[in-house]
């Protein structure tokens, strides 16, 4: 059994990690930390985990955690991870960071969208953990930057078109909707029930922090700099992201040809499902699963292609993808512990 720890296990992503890890046949969780819940049992804080784990939350002490795990998940806010990751790496642990701290390659870009980076020397080493695009790099890494939820959906939706040079990269528009769990578990007025229920709004305009991450990945795939228009929205559901991506076609191409391209691109991918012609994704079909469903349309009137991707923001957009990366780092089958269907209805 491989020993793993979760730092920051009291948020939505942390508890989702624990739910998924509980069903993994070759991993045992040896330590969970939380500043606020230190001393309390997992079952006390999360009744859904009662009887599943016999663990108490501990204070965050990276050195102590490192002595009890070969791999550590850091499920903490940005800026917090960079204060822990260097010590974990120095102790010989592999680290999967679920914050934004190591996703961007350029410290200047990170500073522009967040704050000054405290450990920029690790940015060149960190591997962006989107297995469908960077699988081989993940296998040999010791630090994996788990992608954001919006960037995961956008990259998987657009990568085949950019690789095949079928679209004008300068025309990309990404319109995304997210469930409220994407905003985290901390109490905030904007995510109170009465603020969200029966509402639907855009936010983070015009500079949502996932924008440079999306642009970085799409630029690498395209081989040229890509600048996008990105608009996220908050919808009154717990889980799910639906990203509708628009771009102008660079050449006349049929929907049949586009579907064939996507089926060929993702033929060997366990967690990407390309839907048949005439079918479009729905977040209720991926809820609780690690799948990304992609549907496609071609509008000959406007000469645009529309790629729609649906994921569960807490699974393929966070904890499930982190388990994919963990399996690759530990030399295990990539889908181990993740081959579950979505929850429906």
């Amino acid at each position: 059994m491989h020993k793993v720890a979760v730092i920051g296990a009291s948020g939505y992503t942390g508890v989702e990690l624990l739910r998924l890890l509980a069903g993994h046949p070759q991993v045992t969780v040896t330590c969970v930390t939380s500043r606020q819940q230190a001393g309390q049992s997992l079952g006390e804080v999360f009744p859904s985990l009662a009887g599943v784990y016999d663990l108490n939350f501990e204070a965050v002490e990276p050195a102590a955690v490192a002595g009890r795990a070969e791999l550590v998940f850091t499920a903490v806010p940005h800026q917090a991870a960079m204060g822990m990751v260097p010590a974990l790496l120095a102790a010989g642990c592999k680290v999967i960071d679920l914050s934004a701290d190591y996703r961007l390659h350029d410290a200047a870009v990170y500073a522009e969208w967040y704050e000054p980076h405290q450990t920029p020397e690790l940015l060149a080493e960190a591997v962006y953990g989107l297995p469908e695009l960077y699988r081989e790099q993940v296998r040999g890494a010791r630090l994996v930057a788990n992608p954001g939820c919006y960037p995961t959906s956008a990259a998987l939706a657009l990568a085949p078109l950019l690789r095949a040079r079928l679209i004008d990269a300068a025309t990309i528009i990404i319109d995304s909707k997210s469930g409220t769990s994407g905003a985290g578990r901390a109490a905030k007025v904007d995510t109170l029930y009465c603020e969200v229920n029966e509402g639907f709004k855009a936010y983070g305009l015009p500079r949502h922090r996932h924008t440079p991450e999306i642009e970085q990945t799409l630029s690498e795939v395209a081989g040229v700099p890509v600048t996008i228009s990105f608009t996220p929205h908050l919808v009154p559901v717990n889980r799910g992201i639906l990203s509708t991506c628009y771009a102008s076609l660079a050449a006349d191409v049929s929907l049949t040809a586009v579907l064939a391209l996507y089926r060929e691109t993702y033929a060997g991918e366990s967690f990407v499902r390309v839907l048949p012609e005439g079918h479009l994704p729905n977040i209720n079909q991926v809820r609780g699963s690690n799948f990304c469903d992609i549907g496609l349309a071609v509008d000959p009137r406007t000469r645009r292609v529309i790629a729609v991707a649906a994921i569960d923001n807490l699974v393929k957009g966070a904890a499930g993808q982190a388990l994919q990366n963990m399996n690759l780092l530990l030399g295990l089958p990539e889908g181990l512990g993740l081959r579950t269907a979505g929850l429906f209805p």
Side-chain angles (χ1 to χ4, degrees):
M1 296 290 284
H2 296 277
K3 296 179 180 180
V4 304
V6 181
I7 293 179
S10 59
Y12 289 134
T13 296
V15 72
E16 190 71 357
L17 269 171
L18 293 171
R19 180 181 75 85
L20 295 171
L21 288 166
H24 197 290
Q26 295 191 33
V27 165
T28 183
V29 179
T30 60
C31 177
V32 293
T33 80
S34 169
R35 287 190 172 91
Q36 293 181 326
Q37 272 78 41
Q40 296 179 271
S41 71
L42 271 178
E44 181 182 0
V45 177
F46 295 114
S48 63
L49 297 177
V52 178
Y53 289 101
D54 184 20
L55 290 171
N56 290 342
F57 284 106
E58 303 176 24
V60 182
E61 295 180 8
V65 172
R68 294 150 62 192
E70 62 184 287
L71 184 145
V72 180
F73 299 95
T74 49
V76 294
H78 71 274
Q79 293 280 294
M82 65 182 74
M84 306 171 183
V85 168
L88 294 169
L89 294 176
C93 295
K94 294 180 182 293
V95 178
I96 298 174
D97 178 38
L98 288 96
S99 81
D101 282 357
Y102 295 98
R103 294 174 186 162
L104 299 176
H105 304 327
D106 189 328
V109 176
Y110 183 92
E112 179 184 351
W113 292 82
Y114 294 89
E115 287 87 27
H117 206 286
Q118 304 305 310
T119 56
E121 68 277 4
L122 290 175
L123 294 179
E125 177 183 350
V127 172
Y128 191 68
L130 186 54
E132 290 78 9
L133 298 183
Y134 303 104
R135 178 172 289 112
E136 294 311 311
Q137 294 93 316
V138 170
R139 288 188 201 277
R142 63 172 190 156
L143 171 58
V144 172
N146 214 61
C149 46
Y150 286 129
T152 293
S153 62
L156 293 176
L158 291 166
L161 294 168
L162 287 167
R163 278 181 175 165
R165 302 185 184 279
L166 288 183
I167 57 174
D168 179 352
T171 66
I172 294 174
I173 297 172
I174 301 170
D175 183 295
S176 297
K177 285 85 175 173
S178 175
T180 57
S181 58
R185 193 163 179 253
K188 305 168 189 172
V189 171
D190 284 351
T191 54
L192 293 173
Y193 176 81
C194 288
E195 303 290 330
V196 174
N197 186 46
E198 299 186 28
F200 179 17
K201 66 178 183 179
Y203 70 98
L205 295 176
R207 288 175 56 86
H208 189 278
R209 285 173 166 175
H210 279 173
T211 302
E213 183 184 343
I214 298 171
E215 292 180 343
Q216 175 179 274
T217 304
L218 297 185
S219 296
E220 290 178 354
V221 170
V224 296
V226 174
T227 301
I228 62 165
S229 293
F230 172 53
T231 303
H233 301 77
L234 186 68
V235 293
V237 297
N238 292 341
R239 294 169 175 254
I241 281 180
L242 188 79
S243 288
T244 305
C245 308
Y246 306 84
S248 296
L249 289 165
D252 289 332
V253 63
S254 68
L255 175 57
T256 299
V258 172
L259 281 166
L261 169 67
Y262 274 72
R263 291 186 184 117
E264 180 182 358
T265 300
Y266 292 123
E269 298 297 342
S270 300
F271 297 114
V272 180
R273 302 187 295 199
V274 180
L275 303 187
E277 182 174 345
H279 293 258
L280 295 173
N282 190 326
I283 58 172
N284 67 11
Q285 303 292 340
V286 296
R287 184 166 58 98
S289 81
N290 199 51
F291 288 111
C292 174
D293 284 359
I294 299 176
L296 297 146
V298 170
D299 185 349
R301 186 180 65 86
T302 60
R303 294 191 77 249
R304 290 195 186 100
V305 61
I306 306 165
V308 185
I311 63 172
D312 184 322
N313 59 292
L314 293 179
V315 189
K316 184 57 176 169
Q321 188 139 265
L323 258 68
Q324 262 187 277
N325 287 315
M326 177 196 74
N327 285 334
L328 289 168
L329 289 176
L330 297 178
L332 302 172
E334 188 176 327
L336 199 61
L338 288 168
R339 299 191 182 283
T340 56
L343 304 172
F344 184 81

